[in-house]
Amino acid sequence: MYSPPNPLRARNRYQVLDLSSRMEGASPHRLVSILYEELQNALDGAIRARENGQEIAANSQMARAKSILAALEAGLDFDRGGTLATTLCGIYRAMQRQLANTPNDLGKLNEVRAGVANIAESWRALVA
């Protein structure tokens, strides 16, 4: 039976392929940068979806953001990272709590998004 193409499924597949190609051969520092970019994209998507009353899409993007924060935390090297790793761990956990406790509060979502943008900018400056 023929089913018409699903633009959403096609877009999601393209995004997965794009992310996979960017990650192949990337240095560990670049991988962290990619995670920050994807975290910002997920938060942007959650904010847009909340603004438009699209709860399913918002929840999906929120879950994605939480997963990326968990991956960033799991990747911390406390032996070599010292106080920076400890500080980032605390920030990631605070962001995860914020997303879990106030998922419908656009102000809090924007606050987390701004925090991620600041960390991402600092990370890019650090590795440049």
Side-chain angles (χ1 to χ4, degrees):
M1 173 184 270
Y2 173 76
S3 60
N6 181 331
L8 182 58
R9 189 174 300 148
R11 186 188 71 189
N12 288 343
R13 180 71 178 139
Y14 173 78
Q15 288 174 337
V16 168
L17 289 173
D18 177 57
L19 180 59
S20 296
S21 68
R22 287 190 296 148
M23 293 181 78
E24 277 185 35
S27 70
H29 289 101
R30 178 67 185 129
L31 288 174
V32 172
S33 292
I34 291 169
L35 286 174
Y36 284 135
E37 291 168 17
E38 291 302 313
L39 178 55
Q40 289 175 358
N41 291 339
L43 291 168
D44 286 342
I47 290 166
R48 272 192 315 274
R50 288 274 185 254
E51 289 172 339
N52 295 320
Q54 300 169 330
E55 294 305 310
I56 293 172
N59 291 340
S60 174
Q61 292 299 312
M62 292 288 287
R64 186 168 167 249
K66 291 176 198 173
S67 293
I68 295 169
L69 282 167
L72 285 165
E73 182 181 342
L76 292 172
D77 184 345
F78 292 96
D79 293 331
R80 295 185 341 177
T83 58
L84 177 59
T86 303
T87 300
L88 285 172
C89 181
I91 292 169
Y92 297 154
R93 288 182 180 177
M95 288 179 172
Q96 289 172 337
R97 280 191 305 276
Q98 188 87 306
L99 294 177
N101 294 334
T102 56
N104 298 318
D105 185 335
L106 285 173
K108 298 294 185 184
L109 290 178
N110 280 307
E111 186 178 301
V112 171
R113 172 60 172 84
V116 171
N118 287 335
I119 295 170
E121 172 109 12
S122 297
W123 182 261
R124 283 190 296 272
L126 182 70
V127 297

